[in-house]
Amino acid sequence: MSRAREFIIQCKTKLKWEDLSEDTVMNVGSGTDFFSCRAILEQFPNVKRVITLDHPYIHREAFFWNKNFDHRRVEFRAADIETRVSLQDYEGKINKIVSWNKFHEIRRKEWTIENMFYMLKPGGSIAIWFHVDNPDYVWLWKMISIGKWNQYKTDLLRPYISGDLGVEYYKERMQEAGFHNVLAVMKYKLNWFNTDQDCLGLCNFLKCVQ
């Protein structure tokens, strides 16, 4: 939740998002915990409407949803951000789009950028945060591709499609889609594990082998 909150705060400071009381915000890739959706509501309590969008296979736990969200302002929709036909209801209707920790699961990233532009109102803006290259994901997928380890998998491992094509590549794709004033930043971050147990936590999708 803290990383999602940090991302939404950056939308406030760097993109100058303010009241949003007249804005419809779409959250692309809400996940099962809805971290970014919750961060939007926390940082913009007066937001007019939030549409949280993800694949139909995302499980929405009814009790959690009813407890945390006001259905009058927050709407859950199942749709594929890579497929424009599933987004036709939103053509030119969205003021702002955010996507946190989702883009690295998307195979056709260029199409997705174009579809985001397709849904925006004139003058709208988007903010995207994703792993360009994440060795942790690569390692996990490598592990489950090996038969002797795959048998211990207990949880769903979300897709990972590396997008390590450079900042300029994404900036150019967004400009080609029609965006102006594009800010693209890449940061390198090391994951440190203080103990062996912390490192093992990365593998919580595997059963312990006795």
Side-chain angles (χ1 to χ4, degrees):
M1 179 69 182
S2 61
R3 291 185 179 181
R5 181 184 294 115
E6 179 183 349
F7 170 62
I8 298 302
I9 290 174
Q10 288 182 352
C11 293
K12 293 177 70 174
T13 57
K14 293 186 177 182
L15 301 181
K16 308 300 182 184
W17 293 3
E18 297 179 350
D19 182 54
L20 304 193
S21 60
E22 299 298 324
D23 288 6
T24 295
V25 180
M26 177 175 283
N27 172 210
V28 173
S30 55
T32 55
D33 295 310
F34 302 96
F35 285 145
S36 48
C37 181
R38 290 154 63 186
I40 292 167
L41 295 170
E42 175 187 275
Q43 297 299 318
F44 301 101
N46 296 321
V47 62
K48 179 180 179 181
R49 184 184 180 204
V50 178
I51 300 171
T52 179
L53 180 144
D54 214 327
H55 270 285
Y57 67 75
I58 293 297
H59 175 64
R60 182 173 55 132
E61 205 282 321
F63 175 78
F64 178 85
W65 179 262
N66 292 332
K67 179 181 178 182
N68 287 277
F69 300 107
D70 179 355
H71 296 188
R72 293 169 296 180
R73 289 197 303 151
V74 184
E75 174 185 349
F76 179 85
R77 283 295 184 96
D80 183 359
I81 189 61
E82 297 181 61
T83 307
R84 183 165 297 187
V85 68
S86 69
L87 306 170
Q88 290 178 343
D89 290 346
Y90 304 112
E91 180 182 0
K93 296 180 179 179
I94 308 300
N95 298 98
K96 293 175 173 56
I97 299 175
V98 299
S99 180
W100 177 79
N101 204 30
K102 172 68 178 180
F103 226 61
H104 48 263
E105 299 180 9
I106 295 172
R107 184 171 300 279
R108 297 174 294 186
K109 294 177 173 56
E110 297 84 357
W111 290 17
T112 299
I113 290 170
E114 293 176 4
N115 287 342
M116 287 180 169
F117 186 82
Y118 165 81
M119 292 188 289
L120 281 180
K121 288 183 177 181
S125 59
I126 71 171
I128 304 171
W129 184 102
F130 69 105
H131 294 288
V132 174
D133 185 28
N134 189 325
D136 291 345
Y137 280 98
V138 174
W139 175 72
L140 289 172
W141 275 102
K142 181 64 176 178
M143 288 286 287
I144 67 170
S145 70
I146 301 172
K148 68 177 182 179
W149 292 111
N150 184 53
Q151 62 181 312
Y152 300 111
K153 181 168 67 72
T154 60
D155 298 325
L156 174 68
L157 184 60
R158 300 289 292 267
Y160 174 70
I161 298 94
S162 175
D164 191 6
L165 298 170
V167 169
E168 288 303 315
Y169 175 82
Y170 289 104
K171 187 173 182 178
E172 290 172 3
R173 298 294 81 74
M174 297 189 78
Q175 290 171 336
E176 289 174 359
F179 289 101
H180 302 282
N181 302 320
V182 177
L183 172 65
V185 178
M186 183 185 298
K187 294 183 178 180
Y188 294 90
K189 183 176 181 180
L190 294 175
N191 282 338
W192 294 96
F193 300 103
N194 294 322
T195 66
D196 290 345
Q197 193 61 39
D198 288 344
C199 183
L200 288 172
L202 182 64
C203 308
N204 61 6
F205 75 103
L206 293 175
K207 292 179 180 177
C208 293
V209 182
Q210 301 296 332

Tab-separated table of all heavy atoms in Angstrom, residues 1-8 100 129 131 189 191:
chain	number	residue	atom	x	y	z
A	1	MET	N	0.828	-1.209	0.000
A	1	MET	CA	0.000	0.000	0.000
A	1	MET	C	0.863	1.261	0.000
A	1	MET	O	0.537	2.250	-0.642
A	1	MET	CB	-0.923	-0.015	1.221
A	1	MET	CG	-1.825	1.197	1.341
A	1	MET	SD	-3.100	1.277	0.069
A	1	MET	CE	-3.886	2.827	0.479
A	2	SER	N	1.997	1.223	0.706
A	2	SER	CA	2.837	2.416	0.817
A	2	SER	C	3.399	2.841	-0.538
A	2	SER	O	3.500	4.040	-0.831
A	2	SER	CB	3.975	2.175	1.810
A	2	SER	OG	4.804	1.108	1.387
A	3	ARG	N	3.764	1.870	-1.382
A	3	ARG	CA	4.307	2.217	-2.699
A	3	ARG	C	3.224	2.796	-3.603
A	3	ARG	O	3.480	3.723	-4.374
A	3	ARG	CB	4.944	0.987	-3.341
A	3	ARG	CG	6.221	0.525	-2.661
A	3	ARG	CD	6.874	-0.611	-3.415
A	3	ARG	NE	8.107	-1.041	-2.788
A	3	ARG	CZ	8.889	-2.007	-3.263
A	3	ARG	NH1	8.539	-2.644	-4.376
A	3	ARG	NH2	9.998	-2.344	-2.638
A	4	ALA	N	2.031	2.246	-3.522
A	4	ALA	CA	0.922	2.794	-4.302
A	4	ALA	C	0.618	4.220	-3.850
A	4	ALA	O	0.372	5.111	-4.671
A	4	ALA	CB	-0.315	1.912	-4.149
A	5	ARG	N	0.643	4.435	-2.552
A	5	ARG	CA	0.398	5.781	-2.015
A	5	ARG	C	1.466	6.756	-2.506
A	5	ARG	O	1.153	7.890	-2.905
A	5	ARG	CB	0.384	5.733	-0.488
A	5	ARG	CG	0.109	7.090	0.157
A	5	ARG	CD	0.197	7.009	1.668
A	5	ARG	NE	-0.855	6.180	2.226
A	5	ARG	CZ	-0.628	5.022	2.862
A	5	ARG	NH1	0.614	4.564	3.004
A	5	ARG	NH2	-1.629	4.320	3.363
A	6	GLU	N	2.716	6.326	-2.489
A	6	GLU	CA	3.811	7.182	-2.958
A	6	GLU	C	3.614	7.562	-4.424
A	6	GLU	O	3.851	8.705	-4.825
A	6	GLU	CB	5.141	6.451	-2.776
A	6	GLU	CG	6.355	7.236	-3.245
A	6	GLU	CD	7.639	6.442	-3.115
A	6	GLU	OE1	7.617	5.373	-2.466
A	6	GLU	OE2	8.659	6.883	-3.673
A	7	PHE	N	3.170	6.603	-5.225
A	7	PHE	CA	2.928	6.858	-6.648
A	7	PHE	C	1.820	7.896	-6.843
A	7	PHE	O	1.957	8.836	-7.638
A	7	PHE	CB	2.556	5.538	-7.328
A	7	PHE	CG	2.048	5.677	-8.733
A	7	PHE	CD1	2.848	6.205	-9.731
A	7	PHE	CD2	0.760	5.269	-9.057
A	7	PHE	CE1	2.378	6.323	-11.038
A	7	PHE	CE2	0.285	5.379	-10.350
A	7	PHE	CZ	1.090	5.911	-11.340
A	8	ILE	N	0.730	7.754	-6.114
A	8	ILE	CA	-0.385	8.692	-6.255
A	8	ILE	C	0.005	10.082	-5.745
A	8	ILE	O	-0.404	11.105	-6.318
A	8	ILE	CB	-1.630	8.164	-5.518
A	8	ILE	CG1	-2.084	6.829	-6.127
A	8	ILE	CG2	-2.764	9.182	-5.579
A	8	ILE	CD1	-2.418	6.886	-7.604
A	100	TRP	N	-0.715	1.393	-11.685
A	100	TRP	CA	0.405	1.113	-10.779
A	100	TRP	C	0.639	-0.393	-10.696
A	100	TRP	O	-0.278	-1.166	-10.440
A	100	TRP	CB	0.104	1.668	-9.380
A	100	TRP	CG	1.185	1.354	-8.387
A	100	TRP	CD1	2.383	1.985	-8.248
A	100	TRP	CD2	1.175	0.302	-7.414
A	100	TRP	NE1	3.121	1.400	-7.252
A	100	TRP	CE2	2.403	0.358	-6.717
A	100	TRP	CE3	0.248	-0.682	-7.069
A	100	TRP	CZ2	2.722	-0.530	-5.697
A	100	TRP	CZ3	0.570	-1.571	-6.056
A	100	TRP	CH2	1.792	-1.484	-5.374
A	129	TRP	N	3.227	3.387	-13.570
A	129	TRP	CA	4.398	2.899	-12.822
A	129	TRP	C	4.484	1.396	-13.038
A	129	TRP	O	3.501	0.682	-12.824
A	129	TRP	CB	4.225	3.206	-11.336
A	129	TRP	CG	5.387	2.855	-10.442
A	129	TRP	CD1	6.315	3.708	-9.934
A	129	TRP	CD2	5.730	1.553	-9.928
A	129	TRP	NE1	7.215	3.025	-9.141
A	129	TRP	CE2	6.883	1.696	-9.123
A	129	TRP	CE3	5.180	0.276	-10.081
A	129	TRP	CZ2	7.487	0.623	-8.471
A	129	TRP	CZ3	5.784	-0.800	-9.444
A	129	TRP	CH2	6.920	-0.619	-8.644
A	131	HIS	N	7.471	-2.234	-13.495
A	131	HIS	CA	8.820	-2.789	-13.521
A	131	HIS	C	9.269	-2.924	-14.973
A	131	HIS	O	8.704	-3.707	-15.737
A	131	HIS	CB	8.851	-4.173	-12.867
A	131	HIS	CG	8.561	-4.158	-11.399
A	131	HIS	ND1	9.454	-3.664	-10.475
A	131	HIS	CD2	7.482	-4.575	-10.692
A	131	HIS	CE1	8.943	-3.780	-9.264
A	131	HIS	NE2	7.751	-4.321	-9.360
A	189	LYS	N	16.639	0.179	-8.580
A	189	LYS	CA	16.489	-0.044	-7.151
A	189	LYS	C	16.905	-1.464	-6.806
A	189	LYS	O	16.456	-2.424	-7.438
A	189	LYS	CB	15.036	0.186	-6.719
A	189	LYS	CG	14.823	0.040	-5.225
A	189	LYS	CD	13.393	0.365	-4.822
A	189	LYS	CE	13.209	0.226	-3.324
A	189	LYS	NZ	11.824	0.541	-2.910
A	191	ASN	N	16.975	-4.665	-4.261
A	191	ASN	CA	16.221	-5.287	-3.173
A	191	ASN	C	17.202	-5.911	-2.189
A	191	ASN	O	17.974	-6.804	-2.552
A	191	ASN	CB	15.279	-6.371	-3.710
A	191	ASN	CG	14.038	-5.786	-4.335
A	191	ASN	OD1	13.664	-4.657	-4.043
A	191	ASN	ND2	13.394	-6.550	-5.200
